[in-house]
Amino acid sequence: MTGIRLTAPAPGWAIDADVVVVGSGVAGLTTALRCAAAGLDTVVVTKARLDDGSTRWAQGGIAAALGEGDTPEQHLDDTLVAGAGLCDEEAVRTLVTEGPDAVRRLITTGAHFDTTDSGDIALTREGGHHRRRIAHAGGDATGAEISRALVEAVREAALHTIENALVLDLLTDAEGRTAGVSLHVMGEGQHDGVGAVRAPSVVLATGGMGQVFSATTNPSVSTGDGVALALRAGAEVSDLEFVQFHPTVLFLGADSEGQQPLVSEAVRGEGAHLVDGDGVRFMLGQHELAELAPRDIVAKGITRRMLEQGTEHMYLDARHFGAAMWEQRFPTILAACRSHGIDPVTEPIPVAPAAHYASGGVRTDLRGRTTVPGLYACGEVACTGVHGANRLASNSLLEGLVFAERIAADIAEVRPPRTAPVRASRDADGPVPLLAPEARTAIQRTMTRGAGVLRSAASLAAADEELEALHREAAADADGPRVAKAVVPGVDAWEVTNLLLVSRVLVAAAREREETRGCHWREDRPDRDDAHGRRHLVVRIAPDRTPVVHRTETAAFPPVRPSD
């Protein structure tokens, strides 16, 4: 354990449970439902409302070998190709083999997927898939339907939920094992202010960290809180340099910041074309799948064309769909475009890449266990080894389902006893100094300039210097005489402090990976280096709060426990 904690008041209230699940997307709610079904006293903590996580924004669908002629082996092959040599094959095999039944259990839970006239699940294609294997709901509202079904199931099961709560830090017992979490509840409710949920098993399902960049498809709550908590607790993270930039995000202007509307890959799966301002399909000849190449290849293709032509966006042309198809198959995207003055039925959609998905995260094994005993991670916050250097489209919802069930099974089997948390030992420098909330924009712009789609040694060095300056300034303010200007603990300050930590770790890993692989594109190192690059970068935080990067000896992950 590092002894590193956020600056926060001591918990003023506490509740006890067997399991606390942090997050209410597909990963968190599936874990909670399975744990509760096993007789475990389960508490769900979520940062906003139960249905406000990243899952409900997922448009395209969930990938699984459900169609005639498709097999888990074919799904595995497509996933390994997209992962650019860094997938853990055992983890991928687990995903694709257990995936179809996990989707069927989701349907049993109450999720309704679109069907064909014969009553079979309707399947589409997305980038990197050689088969139609993407199940969808409401045309392009798959995540919203999955979220609805799981939230209803949680409420029917009367699970204890704490909404509008930002998790702060991991609690540990005298042996250094997980003993719960501290959290801050915002606004009215059963609890308010800083409190604690004491439990011997903690499951992080907090989603991604897209808010480290200026433009992202992620909701505002995606500030890397789970990864930051895990790092402070001494856990290892891996592959954080592999941030997937979705190729087709609605372009709202060069100065647009925050969450941007996504134009699902399924639009290309149904036959839309990427074109430049002259109407030229520039992805032809760049990959055998053209517009349906893996996302890193399409994002690079778009970015290259933008640089060649000196433009800020490309176009997605689906005018040939016609009004009826747009309204039936993609009603959500159609409404989003029209709300910004663009009608896809009559004009091409301006698109550009934006931060979308973190392929890396808190390192886990196939049971979701992290390197901290009792701490689990699932969904986008986790790094199971499934995604490698680039996530295959629509594998994320499936990963959340499959590994949530595995985590619940492991906790139910182990059933660790409840132990009392001990007061956190303070490291030599005291609790983590908080950043002022206004530093959020500076971090986002630094990351977008230096660690965005295009990276280089120079851009990453500049980003590292700017981030470290913010870190040093916060420490100096906390230790110096300017007590009157000390940052007051609160949600905005905690979020931006988490953003800084995960940004520093991401940049440290990106500087270490001196090659181009998957969605990590180094302009100064344009080629893959399989002799040295087919390794994972594992990062932890030292007690002095500096990132320590370790390169694995092979493409396989080491065990999360020495005894494994």
Side-chain angles (χ1 to χ4, degrees):
M1 303 301 292
T2 64
I4 302 173
R5 296 288 186 273
L6 285 171
T7 299
W13 53 268
I15 58 176
D16 295 300
D18 296 319
V19 185
V20 55
V21 177
V22 186
S24 59
V26 63
L29 295 188
T30 301
T31 304
L33 287 166
R34 297 292 183 271
C35 285
L40 296 161
D41 185 3
T42 305
V43 174
V44 176
V45 174
T46 187
K47 193 172 178 181
R49 305 294 294 178
L50 272 183
D51 61 353
D52 277 347
S54 293
T55 290
R56 76 181 183 96
W57 295 100
Q59 295 174 343
I62 184 167
L66 297 164
E68 184 177 354
D70 197 6
T71 65
E73 198 69 25
Q74 293 176 67
H75 190 181
L76 179 141
D77 289 343
D78 285 346
T79 301
L80 294 180
V81 169
L86 273 186
C87 295
D88 181 295
E89 186 165 340
E90 186 180 2
V92 178
R93 193 171 297 280
T94 298
L95 177 83
V96 300
T97 302
E98 298 181 9
D101 283 343
V103 172
R104 295 183 185 104
R105 284 188 288 273
L106 179 62
I107 294 171
T108 301
T109 302
H112 301 293
F113 289 95
D114 296 337
T115 56
T116 64
D117 293 339
S118 60
D120 297 325
I121 296 175
L123 301 172
T124 189
R125 269 184 74 191
E126 291 186 357
H129 293 272
H130 284 79
R131 289 276 189 176
R132 296 179 75 91
R133 66 167 67 97
I134 315 300
H136 48 84
D140 59 356
T142 310
E145 170 58 18
I146 291 173
S147 180
R148 180 206 61 78
L150 291 173
V151 169
E152 283 190 10
V154 164
R155 287 175 174 154
E156 287 175 8
L159 264 66
H160 188 162
T161 61
I162 303 175
E163 297 179 295
N164 301 308
L166 172 65
V167 68
L168 300 177
D169 281 305
L170 192 72
L171 303 176
T172 54
D173 64 15
E175 303 300 319
R177 198 183 187 287
T178 293
V181 292
S182 59
L183 65 157
H184 173 79
V185 181
M186 301 165 267
E188 299 177 359
Q190 183 179 354
H191 307 286
D192 198 5
V194 175
V197 179
R198 298 181 297 220
S201 297
V202 171
V203 183
L204 296 178
T206 52
M209 53 185 190
Q211 290 291 326
V212 302
F213 296 97
S214 296
T216 177
T217 63
N218 289 196
S220 61
V221 294
S222 298
T223 50
D225 307 315
V227 171
L229 175 149
L231 283 165
R232 288 193 296 271
E236 294 179 348
V237 304
S238 185
D239 299 356
L240 220 61
E241 68 272 29
F242 297 117
V243 176
Q244 187 177 81
F245 286 77
H246 198 288
T248 53
V249 175
L250 183 61
F251 181 77
L252 300 179
D255 297 328
S256 295
E257 296 182 336
Q259 186 177 10
Q260 312 288 302
L262 176 66
V263 182
S264 170
E265 193 142 348
V267 177
R268 281 174 283 138
E270 295 291 355
H273 302 144
L274 280 167
V275 298
D276 61 20
D278 297 321
V280 176
R281 287 183 63 188
F282 56 87
M283 285 303 299
L284 292 175
Q286 293 199 36
H287 190 276
E288 61 170 336
L289 296 176
E291 285 93 350
L292 286 176
R295 287 180 177 175
D296 64 306
I297 293 172
V298 180
K300 291 173 189 175
I302 291 173
T303 304
R304 284 194 187 103
R305 197 68 161 193
M306 287 162 50
L307 291 172
E308 289 170 2
Q309 299 190 342
T311 59
E312 296 175 326
H313 62 83
M314 289 287 110
Y315 293 94
L316 188 63
D317 192 351
R319 289 174 290 180
H320 55 284
F321 285 5
M325 181 174 175
W326 267 110
E327 290 164 2
Q328 294 168 15
R329 181 67 178 86
F330 301 111
T332 307
I333 298 170
L334 179 64
C337 288
R338 284 177 169 171
S339 71
H340 290 284
I342 298 154
D343 188 352
V345 177
T346 60
E347 60 186 316
I349 306 167
V351 294
H356 182 55
Y357 189 88
S359 293
V362 185
R363 190 167 78 81
T364 75
D365 64 9
L366 296 185
R367 289 180 280 178
R369 302 184 307 166
T370 74
T371 51
V372 174
L375 179 64
Y376 297 79
C378 190
E380 190 174 355
V381 71
C383 182
T384 62
V386 159
H387 304 306
N390 184 45
R391 176 179 69 99
L392 181 65
S394 289
N395 267 355
S396 52
L397 293 175
L398 190 70
E399 183 193 33
L401 272 183
V402 168
F403 286 90
E405 293 184 343
R406 289 181 145 256
I407 287 172
D410 190 70
I411 296 173
E413 178 185 344
V414 175
R415 292 184 181 266
R418 298 181 183 182
T419 56
V422 296
R423 187 176 182 83
S425 60
R426 299 296 187 187
D427 62 308
D429 296 327
V432 174
L434 300 178
L435 269 71
E438 52 266 28
R440 181 170 181 147
T441 299
I443 293 170
Q444 292 171 331
R445 291 178 179 174
T446 291
M447 292 296 290
T448 298
R449 283 194 306 269
V453 179
L454 301 177
R455 301 169 178 176
S456 66
S459 75
L460 290 166
D464 185 60
E465 183 177 346
E466 291 170 21
L467 295 173
E468 291 305 314
L470 287 171
H471 176 68
R472 289 192 302 269
E473 183 180 346
D477 285 350
D479 296 337
R482 294 191 288 171
V483 178
K485 293 187 177 180
V487 177
V488 177
V491 172
D492 291 342
W494 289 320
E495 281 187 336
V496 74
T497 302
N498 286 338
L499 284 172
L500 178 62
L501 176 56
V502 296
S503 295
R504 292 172 64 219
V505 171
L506 190 160
V507 168
R511 294 188 74 182
E512 186 73 17
R513 184 166 293 282
E514 296 182 323
E515 61 160 356
T516 289
R517 181 181 298 272
C519 52
H520 173 67
W521 187 10
R522 288 280 300 259
E523 291 181 283
D524 54 336
R525 302 277 184 168
D527 299 319
R528 270 171 57 166
D529 178 7
D530 283 338
H532 302 94
R534 286 200 65 203
R535 305 287 188 274
H536 297 279
L537 298 178
V538 177
V539 189
R540 60 180 177 82
I541 292 294
D544 66 357
R545 304 177 195 140
T546 58
V548 178
V549 183
H550 166 70
R551 188 182 296 267
T552 61
E553 295 181 2
T554 68
F557 273 136
V560 297
R561 309 274 199 280
S563 59
D564 291 349

